[in-house]
Amino acid sequence: MNTLWRWEYPRYDPKSERLVEAMCTLGNGRFATRGAAPETVADDIHYPATYLAGCYDRLTSTVAGRAVSNEDMVRLPDWTALRYRCLPDGAQPGAWLTPDHPTQRHHRVSLDLRTGTLTRRMLFHDSDGRRLGVTHTRLVHMADPHLAAQRTVLRAYGWKGRIEIASVLDGDVVNAGVDRYRDLAGRHLINHRAGVEAEGTAWLSCTTSTSHIRIGLAIRTSALSLAPVSSACTDTTSTQTSVLPIKPGRPVVFVKTAALFSSLDRPVADPLDRSIRYAANAPDFSSLCASHRAAWQRLWSEGELRVAGEPGRILRLHAFHVLQTLSPHTAELDAGVPARGLHGEAYRGHVFWDELFVLPYLSLHFPETARALLMYRHRRLPAAREAGRLAGTGGAMFPWQSGSSGAEETQRLHLNPRSGRWLPDHSHLQHHVNSAIAWNVWQYGLATGDAGFMHGPGAELLLHIARFWSSAATWDAGLGRYRIRGVVGPDEYHDAYPGATAPGIDDNAYTNVAAAWVLARALDLYGDLSAARRADLLAQLDLGANDLGGWADISHRIYVPFHDDVISQFHGYGDLVELDWNEYRARYHDIRRLDRILEAEGDTPNLYQASKQADTLMLGYLFRPAELTRLFARLGYAFDDRLWARTVAYYLDRTCHGSTLSSLVHGWVLARQHGAQAWRYCQEALLNDITDVQGGTTGEGIHLGAMAGTLDLVERGVVGLDPGTDGLHVDPVPLTEIPGSAFSVCYLGHRNLRISFRPGRFGISAPPSLCGPLPLVLPGDRHVHVAPGQERWFRTTGPRPPSDPV
């Protein structure tokens, strides 16, 4: 039974098992293990896998006659693997038991969000009346990021005898978790060695093929020390087998405790030696559980979002997956925000723009983790500058897909599974990722007041990205405007004009407006710097102080296209053909991946006014209406609520929502408009992964941006929190289905600020601290302060006198 803190799958369904495995992944921000049954191996139903943050490797494949190089997040050896079979007295040995065995009669998977543990219960019942109950409990330790453990309890009912148990450490694994990639090379691990120490600790070492990351993994299996153990090792696998007595009332209990190290760890040491010693000396399972629970309790105290009812339960699940992918341990790593978490191999574990939807939540709850993720980008600033140089621009051109080095990792070919054809991929032209990084830098600075970062790495990121946009913008004398040509917007479906031989479209409205915003903010930050720091940055940028006047000019005169009294997604969008949406829905029902449908028909979305996901409307996600009005006024364009309402309605009718982020953005934008359909899209955003709305994609990895975005939807959207230079702004957007919420945030050095939101009321409690009074900006531009140790409540609707504590 599902509860506020428990997520359950009460029956076994092979068709949905990969979804269960992804949704039941356990991690600690350093590594994660999918929630696969330990009895299984990778096949069409199951996919046991463990992934280490930042562990990538590159292989070359032959695709459509071309050599294609891809960098992947590497699937590591399986530490969970377990085999067992019954040896009843006077009977022949049974088969190895798995969830797919015909004698399996009961199966329940339970994910405990409060404690970060996964429990799988099974009951096997054979034709002779013998029953075997199996309970697995697993954790990936949140306090010690090198440890994981799995306890298995076997209970006999109606028989006695022995049970044969094989504890396996399996290094014979390949990356094969995404059907679309199965024709590509996937064997990343080489130079395997396996063995068992004299005291019984099994171990395995291996190395990634081309990145040469050394992996050490060791297993201590407790119960096997109570009986004779036979060990069998191959180059890639270590197996320890024992036969133990079992009878009713005398269960067999054994524990696998795993230790994982790699050459990515600091300080540098031999991963295998460290893993063996760590596993051998690790605490027992009950002690591990206690310290693991305590670590999760601390995480929840800082990261929980409390909302009533089913939405609250789903939001807690989303927070769980965000926290175990990007925990405080992540702050110690050189790792970015993997778009699909550490939960599967979709998108090859790469880092996209999804951090745009993740870092706002982290900046308000775990600012140290947010800072570390921005430092992942800063460490790759030299690679982005080199990419800009090779592209003929100045500044930093960050890649659409990033992995280990900061080089562009976007594939140049992608497979349409509907047609079976490999097609050119131009998504590397999504240069708007640069503005996403800059926006996150700015938001982090507003939330934390971290001047050391903003005047140091933050300024370098922001100004180098601004330099890129100033170089990418070209003057059009006919328009009297600057234009940015040859890009792909967030929509992704439109990667060229009809009949064009070169990829890219011109003047994507979101890209252009966001670039203008970046240039303006870069100038603002530059103005706050010391003279010495300004000179340093100008030297890095190879600019003179007078060159910044050009930035200001571009930020005032970038071109934004319009047609039919709405903002055009890009120049010429209004000239494209209207799609017969009703016909395609009638023929295909699910048209979320309209691009694949059209290509399989020999057609292309480049011909149509049809978008995969929110594109122009992303402006309404980043900027509140008042800021949008100021942005367009700076550019010399009229903008008001009516224009924006027409624009929202226009694209709502022309979007097929082929991305999980689309419903999130549409729900957010419509909620700000008090639109009637807002909850429909918000609800879809909540359900995206748990119901696998995109049809089989969640089993390949969760959609981390969409999950974190739903948390942000409540905190910054519904409650209306918005860190500003003059205080923490509160401007609620009431949503009937989420009438109240409670959570804690960090702001300008204040920790654990308790926020309570109720219809028409907003409360905040500031714990005692050395920080000064907390500045708040309430609706109606009311400026108030909350002193440390004080709790205050305010009205957010109705008459608003200068100060109206309730």
Side-chain angles (χ1 to χ4, degrees):
M1 177 181 177
N2 289 322
T3 66
L4 287 177
W5 287 96
R6 191 175 298 276
W7 205 267
E8 295 204 336
Y9 297 90
R11 63 188 60 83
Y12 178 68
D13 180 0
K15 295 190 294 296
S16 63
E17 186 63 10
R18 292 229 176 165
L19 170 66
V20 174
E21 292 176 355
M23 296 303 294
C24 292
T25 295
L26 297 179
N28 57 22
R30 180 175 174 270
F31 75 97
T33 297
R34 283 169 60 90
E39 299 88 350
T40 63
V41 296
D43 55 24
D44 291 339
I45 298 171
H46 310 280
Y47 197 68
T50 292
Y51 305 100
L52 177 68
C55 183
Y56 293 97
D57 188 59
R58 184 179 303 280
L59 294 176
T60 299
S61 310
T62 300
V63 177
R66 293 172 52 183
V68 176
S69 173
N70 289 302
E71 185 179 63
D72 295 85
M73 182 172 68
V74 178
R75 180 184 175 207
L76 298 186
D78 182 13
W79 65 271
T80 69
L82 194 70
R83 313 287 180 256
Y84 50 88
R85 59 181 174 179
C86 299
L87 306 175
D89 290 344
Q92 293 296 315
W96 298 108
L97 297 175
T98 74
D100 303 290
H101 195 273
T103 61
Q104 188 256 103
R105 295 291 181 267
H106 172 80
H107 185 277
R108 179 180 291 271
V109 177
S110 178
L111 178 64
D112 189 324
L113 306 179
R114 189 189 300 275
T115 62
T117 55
L118 177 66
T119 302
R120 185 182 293 260
R121 293 180 174 86
M122 293 181 289
L123 180 67
F124 298 92
H125 192 168
D126 67 15
S127 57
D128 293 320
R130 292 183 289 258
R131 291 175 294 157
L132 179 71
V134 181
T135 302
H136 303 294
T137 304
R138 181 184 301 169
L139 61 86
V140 174
H141 208 265
M142 187 56 80
D144 189 325
H146 296 281
L147 291 176
Q150 176 178 277
R151 181 183 63 194
T152 299
V153 180
L154 302 172
R155 291 182 172 88
Y157 302 98
W159 66 282
K160 64 178 182 177
R162 297 168 299 158
I163 192 156
E164 183 179 1
I165 303 169
S167 174
V168 183
L169 179 52
D170 184 8
D172 187 16
V173 298
V174 299
N175 278 48
V178 179
D179 287 343
R180 300 184 302 283
Y181 306 162
R182 286 194 176 179
D183 291 337
L184 305 177
R187 188 167 290 280
H188 291 279
L189 299 179
I190 60 172
N191 299 331
H192 293 77
R193 291 190 302 129
V196 178
E197 295 294 288
E199 80 280 2
T201 301
W203 54 265
L204 188 149
S205 69
C206 53
T207 307
T208 58
S209 177
T210 59
S211 57
H212 308 299
I213 299 170
R214 291 173 292 129
I215 306 296
L217 189 57
I219 300 289
R220 184 190 72 203
T221 307
S222 59
L224 298 188
S225 63
L226 303 178
V229 179
S230 63
S231 299
C233 297
T234 67
D235 288 342
T236 60
T237 302
S238 172
T239 303
Q240 297 171 283
T241 305
S242 186
V243 177
L244 299 170
I246 189 172
K247 65 180 179 179
R250 293 288 299 273
V252 170
V253 180
F254 60 93
V255 177
K256 296 184 72 170
T257 304
L260 172 62
F261 285 85
S262 82
S263 56
L264 297 174
D265 295 326
R266 297 294 180 269
V268 177
D270 178 62
L272 178 58
D273 179 64
R274 292 187 72 185
S275 67
I276 292 172
R277 288 188 288 108
Y278 224 75
N281 297 317
D284 61 22
F285 189 77
S286 61
S287 297
L288 287 174
C289 280
S291 54
H292 177 66
R293 284 194 300 267
W296 266 108
Q297 183 178 12
R298 181 178 62 84
L299 275 184
W300 283 123
S301 72
E302 300 176 18
E304 183 187 358
L305 169 60
R306 285 182 289 169
V307 172
E310 185 67 3
R313 198 172 70 88
I314 298 171
L315 287 163
R316 186 172 283 113
L317 177 70
H318 288 183
F320 176 80
H321 283 294
V322 172
L323 293 178
Q324 64 175 357
T325 304
L326 302 168
S327 80
H329 296 302
T330 310
E332 302 171 10
L333 309 176
D334 180 28
V337 179
R340 304 300 285 272
L342 300 174
H343 298 59
E345 293 161 17
Y347 301 167
R348 309 182 188 284
H350 289 168
V351 178
F352 292 68
W353 74 323
D354 299 66
E355 64 198 55
L356 182 68
F357 304 89
V358 177
L359 260 67
Y361 168 81
L362 292 176
S363 293
L364 286 171
H365 293 270
F366 301 95
E368 294 82 6
T369 303
R371 191 185 202 274
L373 295 170
L374 291 171
M375 289 303 298
Y376 165 86
R377 292 295 193 178
H378 183 261
R379 282 188 285 271
R380 285 150 185 80
L381 183 58
R385 294 180 66 185
E386 176 64 9
R389 186 189 68 80
L390 293 175
T393 67
M397 186 178 79
F398 281 90
W400 174 239
Q401 294 188 33
S402 179
S404 62
S405 69
E408 178 62 79
E409 298 296 345
T410 303
Q411 66 275 11
R412 290 301 192 262
L413 293 174
H414 71 268
L415 175 68
N416 180 356
R418 187 177 284 272
S419 69
R421 288 189 284 265
W422 288 90
L423 308 166
D425 190 311
H426 302 302
S427 58
H428 65 281
L429 297 175
Q430 291 191 72
H431 300 315
H432 61 84
V433 66
N434 293 279
S435 295
I437 296 168
W439 190 84
N440 275 330
V441 167
W442 191 258
Q443 290 297 312
Y444 169 81
L446 291 176
T448 63
D450 185 350
F453 175 83
M454 292 303 293
H455 290 188
E460 293 177 4
L461 285 168
L462 193 54
L463 270 73
H464 279 89
I465 291 170
R467 176 79 167 92
F468 165 73
W469 284 129
S470 72
S471 300
T474 58
W475 177 252
D476 186 317
L479 282 174
R481 292 276 181 178
Y482 291 93
R483 307 184 67 181
I484 299 177
R485 299 176 181 268
V487 302
V488 172
D491 159 41
E492 295 187 315
Y493 278 2
H494 296 90
D495 62 359
Y497 285 103
T501 57
I505 49 89
D506 300 335
D507 302 306
N508 174 260
Y510 170 72
T511 299
N512 284 16
V513 174
W517 179 89
V518 170
L519 287 162
R521 297 292 77 74
L523 291 171
D524 289 344
L525 181 56
Y526 178 82
D528 288 340
L529 303 176
S530 68
R533 182 58 170 149
R534 291 182 191 179
D536 177 33
L537 284 169
L538 289 177
Q540 289 186 38
L541 294 162
D542 192 23
L543 292 175
N546 293 335
D547 293 322
L548 299 186
W551 292 16
D553 190 47
I554 296 169
S555 74
H556 283 90
R557 302 173 73 182
I558 275 185
Y559 172 55
V560 179
F562 292 80
H563 74 278
D564 297 339
D565 293 324
V566 301
I567 303 169
S568 295
Q569 183 170 306
F570 55 83
H571 179 72
Y573 185 88
D575 298 329
L576 301 180
V577 178
E578 290 281 11
L579 184 78
D580 190 337
W581 293 89
N582 290 333
E583 178 193 352
Y584 273 87
R585 288 192 177 98
R587 287 168 56 191
Y588 293 99
H589 182 61
D590 186 352
I591 60 169
R592 294 176 187 274
R593 290 312 305 263
L594 183 63
D595 58 331
R596 293 175 177 174
I597 292 172
L598 290 171
E599 192 279 328
E601 293 181 343
D603 207 343
T604 171
N606 284 328
L607 297 174
Y608 302 101
Q609 294 187 38
S611 300
K612 174 185 177 182
Q613 59 187 345
D615 189 302
T616 306
L617 301 194
M618 275 298 302
L619 293 171
Y621 182 82
L622 292 192
F623 309 114
R624 291 183 178 274
E627 189 169 5
L628 268 183
T629 300
R630 290 193 296 269
L631 269 172
F632 275 77
R634 179 187 180 93
L635 291 168
Y637 293 105
F639 182 94
D640 58 25
D641 290 345
R642 290 173 297 175
L643 169 64
W644 185 241
R646 288 194 302 270
T647 300
V648 171
Y650 187 88
Y651 291 107
L652 199 60
D653 290 339
R654 291 166 176 81
T655 303
C656 64
H657 308 292
S659 163
T660 56
L661 295 172
S662 190
S663 55
L664 169 70
V665 175
H666 281 84
W668 180 293
V669 169
L670 287 168
R672 281 183 172 169
Q673 284 190 331
H674 306 285
Q677 299 184 71
W679 177 243
R680 168 193 163 190
Y681 290 102
C682 292
Q683 186 176 44
E684 183 173 302
L686 289 170
L687 297 175
N688 264 321
D689 273 332
I690 64 173
T691 61
D692 201 6
V693 167
Q694 296 289 329
T697 63
T698 301
E700 302 167 347
I702 61 157
H703 298 84
L704 192 67
M707 284 190 168
T710 60
L711 307 174
D712 195 37
L713 170 67
V714 176
E715 296 182 356
R716 289 197 313 117
V718 176
V719 179
L721 287 190
D722 192 10
T725 56
D726 55 348
L728 184 60
H729 289 239
V730 182
D731 189 11
V733 178
L735 195 60
T736 303
E737 293 80 3
I738 304 180
S741 58
F743 50 94
S744 65
V745 297
C746 305
Y747 177 65
L748 298 184
H750 292 270
R751 309 288 296 205
N752 198 31
L753 297 170
R754 297 299 301 169
I755 306 294
S756 299
F757 178 66
R758 301 290 182 268
R761 298 199 306 157
F762 170 85
I764 184 165
S765 174
S769 77
L770 298 178
C771 298
L774 171 72
L776 288 180
V777 183
L778 301 174
D781 200 32
R782 292 175 296 159
H783 291 253
V784 299
H785 290 83
V786 179
Q790 185 181 31
E791 178 177 358
R792 294 188 68 183
W793 283 81
F794 306 93
R795 293 192 182 96
T796 56
T797 58
R800 295 173 178 174
S803 180
D804 57 344
V806 176

